[in-house]
Amino acid sequence: LKEELQVLIGISPKEFKMKVKLEMHGKKKEFTTPIFLRKVANALEIISNFIIETNDFKIKIPSVLSMKVADMVNIETNYLLQ
């Protein structure tokens, strides 16, 4: 599998689908999100962006901030595996 990935993934980002299990505040949610993989020197970079709803994870927004904070949160991830 490692050799196959080396051929498949180059320096240009390549899109894949990833099954995610996210748990916060005791709440779990499963979903599929696009990820991008690319080779960086001798490492593998993994980039993903997805949106969660605060209600899905019991995230309480203080009433003072409720007018300024959205119910949807954009999560951006960037990993470098060496």
Side-chain angles (χ1 to χ4, degrees):
L1 180 63
K2 185 177 177 181
E3 292 171 2
E4 292 173 3
L5 283 176
Q6 287 178 349
V7 171
L8 187 61
I9 300 170
I11 58 172
S12 297
K14 184 140 179 129
E15 184 174 353
F16 295 89
K17 298 283 184 190
M18 181 172 71
K19 195 180 274 190
V20 177
K21 292 181 183 180
L22 186 61
E23 181 176 353
M24 281 193 286
H25 299 276
K27 288 293 211 174
K28 297 177 185 176
K29 186 168 183 179
E30 292 186 23
F31 55 94
T32 302
T33 186
I35 63 168
F36 295 88
L37 303 178
R38 73 180 181 136
K39 188 176 179 182
V40 179
N42 289 328
L44 176 66
E45 182 179 41
I46 305 171
I47 300 169
S48 178
N49 299 309
F50 54 91
I51 296 172
I52 63 165
E53 293 186 44
T54 55
N55 292 336
D56 288 346
F57 296 97
K58 294 184 180 178
I59 299 171
K60 301 218 186 263
I61 299 171
S63 59
V64 175
L65 299 176
S66 64
M67 298 293 286
K68 298 177 184 178
V69 177
D71 291 334
M72 307 290 269
V73 178
N74 185 41
I75 298 179
E76 298 178 4
T77 64
N78 190 336
Y79 300 98
L80 191 61
L81 305 176
Q82 297 180 339

